[in-house]
Amino acid sequence: TMCQLRGLDFPDQAMLTELEAIERTYVSELNLRGRASSSDGPQEWWQEELPLLEILQSPVHLRLLLAGCAVNTLPALSGSEAQMNYAGQMFRMVGFHYQDAASAAVMMYGLKLAMAAPSFMWLDAVGRRTLLSYGLRGVTACYGLSAIGLALHSPHISGVGMLASQAIYQSCVGPIAWIVSSELYPSDMRARGCALASATFSITTLLSVQFHPLLISRGPFTVFATYAATAQAAWLLTRVTVPETKGRSLEEIQEEAFQGRLFRRTSIMEGRSLLGIEPEPDAAG
């Protein structure tokens, strides 16, 4: 039981509150899907994975699916995956000699690996949406620094910008993309939702990597300008579509989604509120 798992002799108030929240979430979802029996009969306390067609036909499930898939396009839009696949060529492009470019590429791989571990120390201290926003803006600024290095004919400035973009990406953007998508999906679509989000990541990353040689053929300024623009587009996508999930349990996120309150913490809803426009209620809310 929960008491045994938490080392308690008797349930405390916090545990009772959490259990009540879980119970309300299950009841509300079963009622929304028409799977709760009448008050005179027993209720079925189970949930099966929704078919894909039902997910697409449900406004709430579809919105959650699109938000999770949107988050998983960020690695491709930020240019991080393309840089990692063409690291040596990128450093040679900005003026490094072959041996120095190879060493810088290895340094980039090591830096990204080194930033992966400590990034989990501040994931819960700072909001997911906040980390994504500042991270993508930081990546954009690093591309600008690399472009300045090109203008000054300084490979080292461009190289520092490229290394910094990977460090910021790995510490603020990379882990969040997977965490948010898994947190958004309710239990009746989590498996299919995460699979579709992973497919979105793979497809957009593949396209990014395939188009990268075309950008290189147009010159280094085109590469950095394009990735700076797409990183800014990713920042705007984050502000518009990604709600804040920090400090909320999976049950609370699910309950707010079905009550139509989860996506009110996005910039588009905040902007409508400032203009005095009331957001339309979700179909489930």
Side-chain angles (χ1 to χ4, degrees), residues 1-229:
T1 62
M2 290 184 68
C3 289
Q4 292 174 333
L5 290 173
R6 299 186 179 183
L8 300 175
D9 295 329
F10 300 98
D12 55 13
Q13 186 60 40
M15 183 185 298
L16 294 175
T17 302
E18 183 178 353
L19 289 172
E20 290 176 0
I22 295 173
E23 182 176 345
R24 286 197 308 270
T25 301
Y26 275 105
V27 171
S28 63
E29 184 172 345
L30 289 171
N31 284 329
L32 286 168
R33 293 171 52 192
R35 295 186 179 180
S37 59
S38 64
S39 58
D40 297 331
Q43 290 184 328
E44 295 176 323
W45 294 97
W46 52 268
Q47 290 177 296
E48 62 182 13
E49 191 80 10
L50 281 176
L52 179 60
L53 184 59
E54 288 190 32
I55 294 175
L56 298 178
Q57 291 175 341
S58 168
V60 178
H61 288 85
L62 179 59
R63 191 171 187 181
L64 292 170
L65 177 63
L66 293 177
C69 290
V71 173
N72 276 270
T73 66
L74 301 182
L77 290 176
S78 65
S80 172
E81 297 300 320
Q83 276 199 83
M84 294 300 295
N85 280 272
Y86 292 94
Q89 190 173 356
M90 288 282 289
F91 282 107
R92 291 197 301 273
M93 177 188 70
V94 299
F96 282 81
H97 296 296
Y98 185 86
Q99 186 173 357
D100 294 335
S103 299
V106 172
M107 185 183 302
M108 177 180 284
Y109 300 142
L111 179 62
K112 188 170 183 178
L113 178 62
M115 293 303 298
S119 64
F120 291 96
M121 299 174 59
W122 51 75
L123 292 182
D124 289 326
V126 183
R128 281 90 160 101
R129 190 161 168 259
T130 302
L131 271 178
L132 285 174
S133 297
Y134 282 106
L136 290 169
R137 297 185 82 170
V139 169
T140 303
C142 290
Y143 289 139
L145 178 63
S146 295
I148 291 174
L150 290 174
L152 297 176
H153 303 286
S154 174
H156 292 90
I157 293 179
S158 297
V160 168
M162 292 165 57
L163 291 172
S165 70
Q166 287 297 323
I168 295 175
Y169 167 84
Q170 189 59 38
S171 60
C172 299
V173 180
I176 298 293
W178 298 102
I179 292 174
V180 171
S181 61
S182 62
E183 288 179 335
L184 285 179
Y185 298 142
S187 54
D188 60 358
M189 65 170 287
R190 186 163 293 133
R192 283 190 172 88
C194 289
L196 289 171
S198 298
T200 302
F201 166 81
S202 299
I203 293 171
T204 54
T205 299
L206 176 63
L207 292 174
S208 172
V209 172
Q210 292 300 316
F211 276 101
H212 186 78
L214 177 62
L215 293 177
I216 290 181
S217 67
R218 299 298 179 90
F221 278 106
T222 301
V223 174
F224 293 125
T226 300
Y227 286 144

